[in-house]
Amino acid sequence: MSIRIFLAAIFAFITINASAQKGFPFDGEVRAFKHQDSLKMPAPGGILFVGSSSIRLWDDLEKRFEGKPVIKRGLGGSELWQWVEYYTPYVLFPYQPKKVFIYAGENDIAASRTAQNVAGSFEKLWEMIHAKLPNAEIYFLSIKPSPSRDKFLNEVILANNLIKAYADSKPKTKYIDVATPILNKKTMRPDSSLFKGDYLHLNSKGYDKWEKVLKKYVK
C-alpha cells in the first residue's frame, strides 16, 4: 500500500468516526448528561422525567418533589420519534427507573407530523421500555395546547385521544391529563397567564397546575 493510499484510508476513518460521534440531534446535551452521570450516577429505581423543553425548562422540578428520587432528562426541542430512534440507550435505560414520565409529541405535531405518527411513536417507545424495563411504570403526560400553536389544536386532541386509548390497554401504564388543568374554564382554551411570553412554555403558575396533577403519581 502506498503512503498516499494509507493516508487517505486514515483520513476516511477519522472522518467517519467524527461523524458517528456527532450522531444525532441534541447530542451535545446528551453528552452533558453522560458527563454528569460519570461524576455521580443516580441510583437505580429512580423517578425519571424525559421529553422535550417542558421537562428541560422545569427548573424546580426536583425541588417540587423534594425527597423523591427524581431524575430530569429533558432535551429541549426534541420530538417523540427521536426518543425512539436515538435517546433511550443514553438517557433512559441506564438509570433503570421504577417510573418513567414522558412529555413529548408537541414538537412532532408542530413539525407537521400527524396525530397517528405521534401515537405510533409512543407505541414504539412503550414497547422498547417495557421490553427493557418490564417492571417500570410508564406515564405519558398529555400534549399541552400552547397558545402559540393554536392551529395544531385539533391534531393535539386527536393524538392525545389515540395515546390515551393505547395507554389504557397496557399494564403499568397511565395517561395523565395535564392539558385540561391549563385551560381557561370559561373559554376552554389555553390560559395564556400560565405561559411565558412566548406562549409556548409554561411559567411557574403553569407548573403549579402540573405539580398538583402529578403529585399523587410521583411517589
Side-chain angles (χ1 to χ4, degrees):
M1 179 185 293
S2 70
I3 186 66
R4 182 177 295 176
I5 295 174
F6 176 76
L7 291 174
I10 292 295
F11 178 78
F13 173 79
I14 292 172
T15 301
I16 292 169
N17 191 50
S19 297
Q21 288 181 11
K22 288 181 181 178
F24 43 71
F26 310 105
D27 62 319
E29 293 180 36
V30 172
R31 283 198 297 270
F33 286 143
K34 300 319 294 176
H35 175 68
Q36 183 179 339
D37 294 342
S38 72
L39 300 176
K40 185 178 180 181
M41 185 68 180
I47 300 171
L48 179 64
F49 281 76
V50 299
S52 57
S53 56
S54 290
I55 300 301
R56 184 177 68 83
L57 296 177
W58 195 344
D59 295 332
D60 61 350
L61 173 61
E62 297 96 334
K63 184 177 180 181
R64 285 174 181 264
F65 299 107
E66 194 168 4
K68 308 297 182 184
V70 170
I71 307 165
K72 186 178 77 170
R73 291 294 182 265
L75 296 169
S78 63
E79 299 177 31
L80 188 55
W81 71 269
Q82 293 171 336
W83 284 88
V84 173
E85 295 294 330
Y86 303 126
Y87 306 130
T88 53
Y90 306 101
V91 288
L92 199 160
F93 295 150
Y95 304 114
Q96 301 177 53
K98 67 176 181 180
K99 297 186 178 187
V100 183
F101 289 81
I102 303 163
Y103 182 84
E106 184 178 355
N107 292 325
D108 304 59
I109 292 173
S112 299
R113 289 183 173 270
T114 67
Q116 289 81 3
N117 290 152
V118 175
S121 292
F122 175 69
E123 292 176 17
K124 290 178 182 177
L125 183 58
W126 186 92
E127 291 169 0
M128 292 169 66
I129 297 172
H130 188 65
K132 189 77 172 180
L133 304 167
N135 295 318
E137 298 173 17
I138 302 171
Y139 299 85
F140 184 85
L141 279 59
S142 63
I143 302 169
K144 73 182 192 302
S146 299
S148 65
R149 291 175 169 173
D150 187 65
K151 66 180 180 179
F152 300 112
L153 182 59
N154 289 338
E155 207 68 23
V156 165
I157 292 171
L158 178 55
N160 281 336
N161 288 340
L162 291 172
I163 291 171
K164 183 180 187 304
Y166 181 81
D168 287 348
S169 72
K170 297 299 178 182
K172 299 180 180 293
T173 308
K174 177 72 176 177
Y175 168 94
I176 304 177
D177 181 7
V178 293
T180 301
I182 60 173
L183 299 180
N184 183 306
K185 292 182 180 179
K186 292 182 180 179
T187 64
M188 294 308 291
R189 307 294 288 185
D191 184 346
S192 60
S193 72
L194 302 178
F195 288 79
K196 294 181 178 180
D198 60 6
Y199 297 114
L200 175 60
H201 300 106
L202 295 173
N203 59 27
S204 182
K205 292 190 295 182
Y207 284 121
D208 288 343
K209 299 286 187 179
W210 277 22
E211 179 188 358
K212 186 176 181 180
V213 174
L214 292 173
K215 64 181 181 181
K216 67 179 180 180
Y217 302 108
V218 182
K219 58 183 180 180

